[in-house]
Amino acid sequence: MSQSGEGRVALVTGANRGIGREVARGLAALGYEVLIGARDISAAQSAADEIARERRATVRALALDVSDLLSIAAASGRIR
């Protein structure tokens, strides 16, 4: 990851733990505004808060279940 993400937004699904969380952390370090998508909004918010503090970045939680069309539509509306 060598390019600057300044002024860009990244949505990372499953970013409340594991690989997704590390991807979100790396994108935040590059200057991206990161949206952490997860089924459990409290877990997403916890991860977002931690990464925002660590990286001094804009990181937001987003309730999102990629296996549920209504959840995807709702998340899309919030992003817009």
Side-chain angles (χ1 to χ4, degrees):
M1 293 185 179
S2 61
Q3 297 180 339
S4 171
E6 192 170 324
R8 294 183 177 191
V9 178
L11 168 61
V12 183
T13 61
N16 58 307
R17 60 192 178 99
I19 294 171
R21 189 178 192 130
E22 292 307 311
V23 169
R25 184 176 275 120
L27 290 168
L30 288 173
Y32 283 80
E33 176 179 338
V34 180
L35 304 175
I36 291 188
R39 290 179 293 214
D40 180 346
I41 190 64
S42 62
Q45 189 62 60
S46 177
D49 292 344
E50 177 188 314
I51 295 168
R53 278 192 309 271
E54 286 176 3
R55 303 298 181 184
R56 294 190 177 125
T58 302
V59 185
R60 302 174 203 271
L62 180 68
L64 176 59
D65 180 347
V66 297
S67 67
D68 180 343
L69 292 178
L70 292 176
S71 176
I72 294 168
S76 175
R78 285 190 299 275
I79 293 168
R80 290 174 199 227

